[in-house]
Amino acid sequence: GLNFIDLMVRQGNIDNPPKTPLVPGFECSGIVEALGDSVKGFEIGDRVMAFVNYNAWAEVVCTPVEFVYKIPDDMSFSEAAAFPMNFVTAYMMLFEVANLREGMSVLVHSAGGGVGQAVAQLCSTIPNVTVFGTASSFKHEAIKNSVTHLFDRNADYVQEVKRISTDGVDIVLDCLCGENTGKGLSLLKPLGTYILYGSSNMVTGETKSFFSFAKSWWQVEKVNPIKLYEENKVIAGFSLLNLLFKQNRGGLIKGVMDKLVNLYNSKKIKPVVDSLWALEEVKEAMQRIHDRGNIGKLILDVEKAPTPLMANDSTETSEAGEEEEDHEGDNENKERMPFIQ
């Protein structure tokens, strides 16, 4: 799986970036080739998906058994590679942190991206949940049925939300950071929860710009704890990778994965795959995410041969600015699936 965090790693816009040489990537799917001596519950030949603390973009991956999960029989490998990061992140934020319940409202940025689409699908499993989403306008037709109210990412979404819901929303999920932090807090109802789970506005152009980076952080509204107390608002942060690899919550995540697989088997959720790319095409794939050109998840396929880019297949046509999600398609077809029809 290719995620926005991979772009941040490449640019060094994370805490303690790893030293090179480095194989990137945090999630993958494949077939079990070998087992440790004490491993139980898996056999060689099992179809699995897994979290990896880097090194996922490889032909052979080694990871502790607590981060490995069996793939449902009718889930393809590309769907499985698109599943863990996005759906666990969405589930944990909605149900573990924000306690989503019937009748609540949610605002999610980058509604066309992998996490955004997972959030929309999970919200649909709870009765009467209203989902507000922001996305690039060219994605609206493709994702309009997944959210209740959809706004252009460049519009004044604060006023648009308040026009529909005067009191604001119960949950704000922010992957942008910067000036959106203050806007998100201003939209919260009393007892509402704001969750920061990414900072895609920190990703600049092809090279890291310290001034752009500093400007984005400068735009983050300084939170006054007394104001939170007076307004009955909750502010939270969520990092799945830290939870897994630094805070030893693999057991908790396994329980969440079990619930998500049950939802998949009951056909209530389904990962959205934008496109498949050869490992040699990682530059173009990253550019597509950077340009916010995807709807759903981009997948790197180790068995896929590079495909020459066609004139209408360019990764440089989008002026959008968010992480987007993928279209469903024939994932067994090793040719790159079409982008937005």
Side-chain angles (χ1 to χ4, degrees):
L2 180 57
N3 297 285
F4 213 95
I5 184 68
D6 297 310
L7 276 68
M8 298 184 69
V9 168
R10 190 185 77 180
Q11 293 196 348
N13 292 344
I14 61 170
D15 187 32
N16 296 320
K19 293 180 172 57
T20 55
L22 171 76
V23 177
F26 297 100
E27 64 182 338
C28 63
S29 65
I31 298 172
V32 175
E33 187 170 287
L35 301 170
D37 292 339
S38 59
V39 169
K40 294 180 175 60
F42 292 92
E43 296 179 358
I44 292 174
D46 281 350
R47 302 167 71 248
V48 296
M49 50 189 162
F51 290 108
V52 192
N53 193 10
Y54 294 106
N55 298 307
W57 298 355
E59 293 173 331
V60 179
V61 173
C62 184
T63 195
V65 67
E66 65 175 320
F67 303 138
V68 183
Y69 320 93
K70 290 184 179 179
I71 299 176
D73 290 342
D74 59 347
M75 181 184 283
S76 68
F77 283 116
S78 51
E79 282 184 323
F83 193 77
M85 186 85 79
N86 292 346
F87 275 95
V88 171
T89 295
Y91 187 97
M92 291 291 294
M93 291 192 299
L94 290 172
F95 298 108
E96 299 288 338
V97 180
N99 194 21
L100 178 66
R101 300 184 302 281
E102 181 176 353
M104 281 187 162
S105 55
V106 179
L107 169 66
V108 59
H109 294 295
S110 301
V115 174
Q117 286 291 288
V119 165
Q121 290 185 28
L122 289 171
C123 284
S124 71
T125 67
I126 306 297
N128 303 318
V129 171
T130 302
V131 180
F132 298 89
T134 68
S136 301
S137 57
F138 75 90
K139 299 180 181 180
H140 286 199
E141 183 64 27
I143 66 173
K144 64 181 181 181
N145 294 328
S146 65
V147 299
T148 318
H149 304 286
L150 189 57
F151 312 122
D152 185 88
R153 63 178 300 275
N154 296 312
D156 184 354
Y157 62 85
V158 173
Q159 293 306 314
E160 293 289 336
V161 171
K162 288 187 174 179
R163 180 176 56 82
I164 298 168
S165 177
T166 306
D167 292 340
V169 297
D170 296 293
I171 301 169
V172 173
L173 305 178
D174 182 10
C175 62
L176 304 177
C177 201
E179 62 184 7
N180 293 280
T181 299
K183 291 179 179 180
L185 284 170
S186 73
L187 278 174
L188 281 184
K189 293 179 180 179
L191 301 181
T193 303
Y194 163 93
I195 306 175
L196 179 68
Y197 70 98
S199 50
S200 60
N201 279 346
M202 303 300 171
V203 173
T204 57
E206 273 304 295
T207 57
K208 181 172 63 175
S209 164
F210 172 79
F211 296 105
S212 297
F213 187 79
K215 179 183 177 183
S216 293
W217 273 120
W218 185 254
Q219 291 172 330
V220 177
E221 182 167 297
K222 308 305 180 283
V223 177
N224 182 343
I226 300 300
K227 191 175 180 182
L228 291 176
Y229 150 75
E230 291 173 344
E231 297 182 358
N232 280 300
K233 293 182 178 180
V234 178
I235 184 168
F238 182 77
S239 166
L240 176 57
L241 296 178
N242 283 349
L243 203 64
L244 280 168
F245 303 124
K246 292 183 180 180
Q247 295 156 353
N248 302 316
R249 294 298 189 272
L252 172 63
I253 302 305
K254 186 180 187 314
V256 170
M257 280 293 289
D258 290 342
K259 295 174 183 176
L260 289 169
V261 167
N262 287 336
L263 287 172
Y264 177 87
N265 286 333
S266 59
K267 302 193 183 313
K268 292 182 178 178
I269 61 174
K270 183 178 177 66
V272 181
V273 176
D274 176 81
S275 45
L276 304 179
W277 303 75
L279 288 177
E280 294 89 343
E281 298 171 319
V282 66
K283 176 186 174 183
E284 292 82 3
M286 278 190 159
Q287 189 67 46
R288 182 164 173 79
I289 290 186
H290 179 276
D291 293 343
R292 317 300 205 249
N294 58 301
I295 296 181
K297 191 68 163 274
L298 276 73
I299 300 297
L300 299 178
D301 186 342
V302 297
E303 295 182 354
K304 184 181 181 304
T307 303
L309 284 176
M310 304 301 290
N312 62 352
D313 224 19
S314 174
T315 61
E316 300 177 351
T317 57
S318 169
E319 59 184 16
E322 73 233 337
E323 164 193 3
E324 323 241 302
E325 257 92 84
D326 340 310
H327 286 309
E328 298 168 15
D330 178 8
N331 292 324
E332 302 309 318
N333 183 348
K334 295 304 180 184
E335 293 302 311
R336 183 180 312 158
M337 291 180 290
F339 298 144
I340 299 167
Q341 298 289 348

